[in-house]
Amino acid sequence: MPGQQPTRTLTPTDLKANLGDIQGGLLEEYDTLACAYIFYTVGDPDRGRAWLANLLGSVTTSGAARSANKPEQTLNICFSSFGLAALGVTEQTRASFPHSFRAGMAARALKLGDTGPGDPSNWEGGLGTPDIHAMITITGADSFAVDDRRLALNKEAARYGVSERHFVEAAVVFDQRSGCPAAHFGYVDPVSQPAIAGLDDDAAPGHGARDGEGWRGIQPGEFLLGYINEINERTATPPPDELGVNGTFIAFRKAGQDVAGFRDYLKQGAMGLWGKNDTHHQEKMAAKIVGRWRSGCPLAVSPDHDDHKIADDPNRVNDFDYADDPEGLKCPLGAHLRRVNPRKSAIKTPTDINRKRILRRGLEYGPPLPEGAPDDGVPRGQAGLFVVADLELQFEFMQADWIQKGDFAGLPSEEKDPLVGTNGDGGQFTVPGADMPFLFDVRQFVTTEGGEYFFVPGMNALRGIADGKFSR
């Protein structure tokens, strides 16, 4: 119960043995093509816990996701702070959770840069309000299978007084040029995820942290509660300990993307930097914004031209840092990739870069916009899940200090991430080495359309919540 002493600190050697208690889709990506994020409101605590108990046998674990017989469909569940209250978790227990989680994402909007069009007052489907209690994520082979299961889940939930408040459908999008999974902006994705010590020890170079001339996995306590972290401490869990161990937090973000505006801006930006807007210079502009060519080839390795041999080689595509590029001549200091993982950049704000790593999950929503087509008015973007053990230290720090500011990298404070920052009037981007290295008209290409913070309990904790163990 609250106040009990924590169990021992879990280490990388414990991780594989605990995969059956860790929910799936956090430490690994599912091999499925479609998914839905379904947001529910719980009406009554007792009936809500009965609903959860009924779902327990359907929840996919990390162990199952990594087994030889991977499930064709998956289901996972997590709760907002409002949801824990709706399920009857005691106020004393809820008070032990981090402040950022208890406040909710909407209350942190100013810090996160969710202003103007991205202000929570404009968010859809009740996202960011106390009505959002639980999020169930389901995946499947295609959107038809996913939607069939969503409808079945909703019918069953209604028996317990639990109702769907909103849902977001998403799917893998394939680039129209390369045929590879890609974001709507045309960049192959995902290219890089943090390797986790004890789980991904054979990961390709560049996926973890620099260790001399090589690479090592990030300590699991940066992504899971109860484990050792990068400063050799146990990542705190809300008491009682069994509620938090093998759990984590996720930040859900639905981010609308102005694909037509982005493509149009590549012409404008290329003309502003080099006085040319032919196809090569538009692609160079795209690479400078992100830090990679759209194939995935990093500017830090091939700054002057795209190289598909590097992009296709898992031992080369992430094997780099920025130690030899202090001025940003290869990769701009403010490029998106360099902001979210500075990789030995000489940043001005002292911090442990390895403590700011994030596991990115999620898929695209909306259909691809055909190459050369004008804006069709159809919503499209990315539904993202950002997995962290500490929302404020990792997700919020990255959003507030690295994405929404430039001074950490020695740039003007008002210079923001050129891809996902809240730019627009006054938006600027510095590209060292260009003929005219300053752009002052960067548009806003990504707008937050909704989001929330969720706690993802381990399986043992889920059973405890369903049994009312944390409600008394």
Side-chain angles (χ1 to χ4, degrees), residues 10-91:
L10 298 173
T11 69
T13 58
D14 298 306
L15 191 49
K16 288 185 178 179
N18 285 331
L19 293 180
D21 191 46
I22 300 168
Q23 288 202 54
L26 302 170
L27 305 182
E28 62 283 309
E29 294 184 271
Y30 288 135
D31 295 329
T32 49
L33 296 179
C35 74
Y37 306 96
I38 317 167
F39 303 92
Y40 289 100
T41 301
V42 174
D44 173 79
D46 290 335
R47 297 180 73 195
R49 290 195 298 270
W51 168 68
L52 175 58
N54 185 61
L55 284 170
L56 288 176
S58 300
V59 176
T60 307
T61 67
S62 183
R66 292 171 175 266
S67 69
N69 299 314
K70 297 179 181 179
E72 294 182 0
Q73 291 189 325
T74 69
L75 181 149
N76 294 100
I77 187 167
C78 54
F79 309 101
S80 69
S81 63
F82 311 108
L84 293 179
L87 289 168
V89 174
T90 66
E91 183 177 357

Side-chain angles (χ1 to χ4, degrees), residues 71-418:
E72 294 182 0
Q73 291 189 325
T74 69
L75 181 149
N76 294 100
I77 187 167
C78 54
F79 309 101
S80 69
S81 63
F82 311 108
L84 293 179
L87 289 168
V89 174
T90 66
E91 183 177 357
Q92 184 180 6
T93 297
R94 288 184 281 113
S96 68
F97 279 78
H99 170 72
S100 54
F101 169 73
R102 287 184 282 118
M105 186 179 286
R108 314 288 282 177
L110 189 60
K111 183 179 183 69
L112 297 175
D114 293 330
T115 58
D119 186 271
S121 62
N122 299 320
W123 290 1
E124 61 183 37
L127 290 169
T129 73
D131 289 342
I132 304 299
H133 294 162
M135 180 177 73
I136 287 182
T137 303
I138 53 176
T139 72
D142 54 48
S143 59
F144 299 105
V146 166
D147 200 49
D148 284 346
R149 192 167 194 200
R150 180 182 71 84
L151 294 176
L153 285 169
N154 288 349
K155 184 177 181 180
E156 184 69 13
R159 294 178 51 224
Y160 298 93
V162 176
S163 57
E164 179 189 278
R165 183 68 173 81
H166 185 57
F167 74 96
V168 178
E169 291 183 307
V172 174
V173 169
F174 294 94
D175 182 62
Q176 299 161 59
R177 295 169 297 180
S178 68
C180 296
H184 282 300
F185 289 135
Y187 299 87
V188 171
D189 188 57
V191 176
S192 176
Q193 294 279 11
I196 305 170
L199 196 61
D200 305 313
D201 294 325
D202 58 349
H207 288 273
R210 272 291 190 191
D211 187 16
E213 294 301 312
W215 299 87
R216 63 168 177 81
I218 302 293
Q219 293 293 341
E222 300 303 330
F223 312 110
L224 291 170
L225 308 183
Y227 287 77
I228 193 166
N229 61 26
E230 283 288 314
I231 57 173
N232 206 36
E233 293 180 355
R234 183 182 193 270
T235 300
T237 66
D241 206 56
E242 63 190 289
L243 175 59
V245 169
N246 288 322
T248 189
F249 296 98
I250 58 175
F252 172 83
R253 303 275 278 184
K254 186 182 181 191
Q257 298 175 349
D258 180 6
V259 177
F262 178 78
R263 291 173 180 172
D264 183 64
Y265 185 76
L266 295 182
K267 303 173 186 176
Q268 180 182 335
M271 182 63 72
L273 291 174
W274 299 287
K276 301 175 183 178
N277 64 1
D278 54 82
T279 300
H280 169 72
H281 283 87
Q282 288 182 50
E283 289 303 307
K284 191 174 182 179
M285 180 77 246
K288 293 293 186 180
I289 287 174
V290 168
R292 290 187 190 271
W293 299 90
R294 290 206 265 198
S295 69
C297 176
L299 284 176
V301 179
S302 182
D304 298 319
H305 63 275
D306 196 357
D307 190 327
H308 287 260
K309 290 183 179 179
I310 296 174
D312 295 339
D313 186 343
N315 290 312
R316 299 175 68 193
V317 69
N318 283 305
D319 191 10
F320 66 90
D321 58 40
Y322 304 110
D324 66 344
D325 188 26
E327 297 180 358
L329 292 171
K330 294 181 180 179
C331 178
L333 300 176
H336 174 68
L337 188 72
R338 193 160 180 168
R339 283 175 176 268
V340 298
N341 186 6
R343 297 186 186 224
K344 283 196 170 182
S345 295
I347 58 178
K348 306 298 181 182
T349 305
T351 189
D352 186 341
I353 291 173
N354 296 331
R355 300 219 65 205
K356 303 297 184 287
R357 303 302 299 277
I358 287 175
L359 294 169
R360 291 187 305 115
R361 309 296 179 211
L363 293 174
E364 319 306 306
Y365 69 89
L369 182 67
E371 288 290 336
D375 187 12
D376 57 5
V378 176
R380 56 177 54 85
Q382 185 177 72
L385 301 178
F386 302 92
V387 182
V388 294
D390 189 320
L391 288 165
E392 190 166 358
L393 179 72
Q394 292 164 281
F395 177 75
E396 291 193 345
F397 180 93
M398 183 177 290
Q399 281 288 129
D401 288 70
W402 285 359
I403 288 178
Q404 298 293 349
K405 298 179 183 177
D407 52 1
F408 84 98
L411 298 166
S413 180
E414 60 271 17
E415 183 167 329
K416 302 176 182 180
D417 187 308

